[in-house]
Amino acid sequence: MTGRVFNIQHFSIHDGPGVRTTVFFKGCNLRCYWCHNPESQAFLPEVGFDSARCISCGKCVSACPKSDGVRSAIFDNCDGCGCCVEVCYTGARKLYGKDYAVDEILTDVLTDRDLYDKTGGGVTISGGEPFMQTDFLLALLSALKSEGIHTAVESAAFVDWGKIKKALPYIDLYICDIKSADDEKHMAATSKSNRLILENITKLSRCTNLLLRTPVIPGFNDSENDLSAIADFIAALPKVPQHELLSFSGICKGKYKALDRDFKAENLSPPTRNEMERFAEIFRRRGIDCTLND
Ligand code: SF4
Ligand code: SF4
Ligand code: SF4
């Protein structure tokens, strides 16, 4: 079985306990306007282009089956075949999305087994939305568990509960964003309602080890009211999970440019450390174990 992945990141320390390898699945069913990984959103492979690295050698034009002989197909007609990336020696072109077999990923992530053992780490499957490729996710999780590896899944939980339920026996830690308690705001900012997500979070809190995360996005959810509504929802869950606040960061700006996409959060400034501490208090006041993930 193969699945589509756009990055395998070793030595990750922000995606669960210990030192981890994070496998990023391609494809997401949300479209958060601040998304840190725009290359994760489309399921089809895509090519990014960094003009600052281009020396105009023209090799990509010759290699591109969809070229008109003057320019390569990027971005309009590109089908992500990757031929231009292979001949671009400056790295101006980068392919996002490659199909891997479960065994290929397993061999790669097991190179760090000693590190997982020493630090209490493991493997995190992120995205995108990992449940967009549920069969592949199940196969990979089951292979990891048969090797005794700690597994975490980062998922926005906008997915049928039946799929999540099937995966739970293989997941040691479920990491899920809670971006807004207000359905209209959530819909406007991510393209989807939060109802299914909140329902799934409630179910997850009953039956698995859950870590909730809130990305703090200036102008979207960084008010006392918005964060209090999220905190109230968490405090009322059947079993109150741990919670992390993540600060918005605009460092992904270059990726949007490379993919020729608008970055609607481009002009936002990240919250200060003091503001983040103040936001965390909103959760702590309600008895929630809230930390800053930075
Ligand atoms: S192959 Fe790379 S460096 Fe050469 S023209 Fe194409 S993008 Fe630029
Ligand atoms: S990925 Fe393929 S179709 Fe797209 S620009 Fe490169 S060579 Fe052309
Ligand atoms: S759910 Fe995550 S990966 Fe998907 S669009 Fe939102 S921030 Fe990006």
Side-chain angles (χ1 to χ4, degrees), residues 169-232:
Y170 308 107
I171 299 175
D172 295 309
L173 174 66
Y174 197 111
I175 304 172
C176 185
D177 270 8
I178 176 160
K179 305 168 205 285
S180 174
D182 181 311
D183 195 23
E184 263 182 49
K185 284 183 95 162
H186 195 277
M187 176 83 88
T190 71
S191 81
K192 295 290 189 306
S193 162
N194 67 5
R195 284 190 201 146
L196 178 62
I197 294 170
L198 298 183
E199 272 172 37
N200 283 336
I201 287 175
T202 304
K203 289 176 183 164
L204 282 164
S205 78
R206 280 196 194 103
C207 63
T208 195
N209 188 17
L210 177 64
L211 169 65
L212 291 178
R213 283 179 166 171
T214 301
V216 178
I217 313 299
F220 167 61
N221 64 2
D222 64 340
S223 70
E224 179 88 23
N225 275 353
D226 283 295
L227 293 172
S228 296
I230 294 173
D232 285 341

Side-chain angles (χ1 to χ4, degrees), residues 26 38-40 42 44-48 80 94-97 259 261:
K26 193 139 163 64
E39 75 277 33
S40 74
L44 291 175
E46 297 166 277
V47 171
K94 192 169 176 192
L95 184 64
Y96 296 118
L259 290 166
R261 292 209 205 132

Side-chain angles (χ1 to χ4, degrees), residues 47 60 63-66 72-74 77-85 93:
V47 171
C60 54
C64 175
K66 301 214 165 175
S72 72
I74 204 165
N77 303 311
C78 173
D79 64 4
C81 70
C83 300
C84 61
V85 178
R93 284 170 183 256

Side-chain angles (χ1 to χ4, degrees), residues 28 30-32 34-37 40-41 127-129 156 177 179:
C28 187
L30 269 61
R31 289 291 181 271
C32 311
W34 59 85
C35 180
H36 193 67
N37 291 323
S40 74
Q41 294 176 346
E129 170 53 65
D177 270 8
K179 305 168 205 285

Side-chain angles (χ1 to χ4, degrees), residues 2-196:
T2 62
R4 193 160 294 157
V5 163
F6 70 90
N7 192 13
I8 300 177
Q9 186 178 300
H10 290 261
F11 314 121
S12 169
I13 52 165
H14 292 290
D15 300 319
V19 177
R20 313 188 69 79
T21 300
T22 305
V23 181
F24 292 88
F25 279 26
K26 193 139 163 64
C28 187
N29 48 8
L30 269 61
R31 289 291 181 271
C32 311
Y33 69 83
W34 59 85
C35 180
H36 193 67
N37 291 323
E39 75 277 33
S40 74
Q41 294 176 346
F43 179 67
L44 291 175
E46 297 166 277
V47 171
F49 172 59
D50 179 357
S51 58
R53 288 179 170 226
C54 177
I55 55 167
S56 302
C57 68
K59 287 192 171 137
C60 54
V61 178
S62 314
C64 175
K66 301 214 165 175
S67 164
D68 62 4
V70 181
R71 293 165 56 87
S72 72
I74 204 165
F75 293 94
D76 293 343
N77 303 311
C78 173
D79 64 4
C81 70
C83 300
C84 61
V85 178
E86 281 167 28
V87 298
C88 179
Y89 298 113
T90 67
R93 284 170 183 256
K94 192 169 176 192
L95 184 64
Y96 296 118
K98 193 180 153 203
D99 291 349
Y100 289 85
V102 169
D103 283 352
E104 280 179 277
I105 295 183
L106 199 60
T107 305
D108 186 333
V109 303
L110 287 179
T111 56
D112 286 339
R113 186 199 277 273
D114 287 351
L115 205 51
Y116 309 148
D117 291 345
K118 274 187 201 137
T119 65
V123 173
T124 298
I125 302 177
S126 182
E129 170 53 65
F131 282 97
M132 296 287 284
Q133 302 183 65
T134 303
D135 290 345
F136 183 60
L137 174 65
L138 288 172
L140 181 55
L141 285 170
S142 140
L144 289 165
K145 287 321 294 175
S146 65
E147 290 288 343
I149 303 292
H150 180 277
T151 59
V153 169
E154 272 186 324
S155 153
F158 187 79
V159 58
D160 289 343
W161 175 249
K163 289 183 178 177
I164 295 176
K165 202 173 158 193
K166 265 193 200 166
L168 284 180
Y170 308 107
I171 299 175
D172 295 309
L173 174 66
Y174 197 111
I175 304 172
C176 185
D177 270 8
I178 176 160
K179 305 168 205 285
S180 174
D182 181 311
D183 195 23
E184 263 182 49
K185 284 183 95 162
H186 195 277
M187 176 83 88
T190 71
S191 81
K192 295 290 189 306
S193 162
N194 67 5
R195 284 190 201 146
L196 178 62

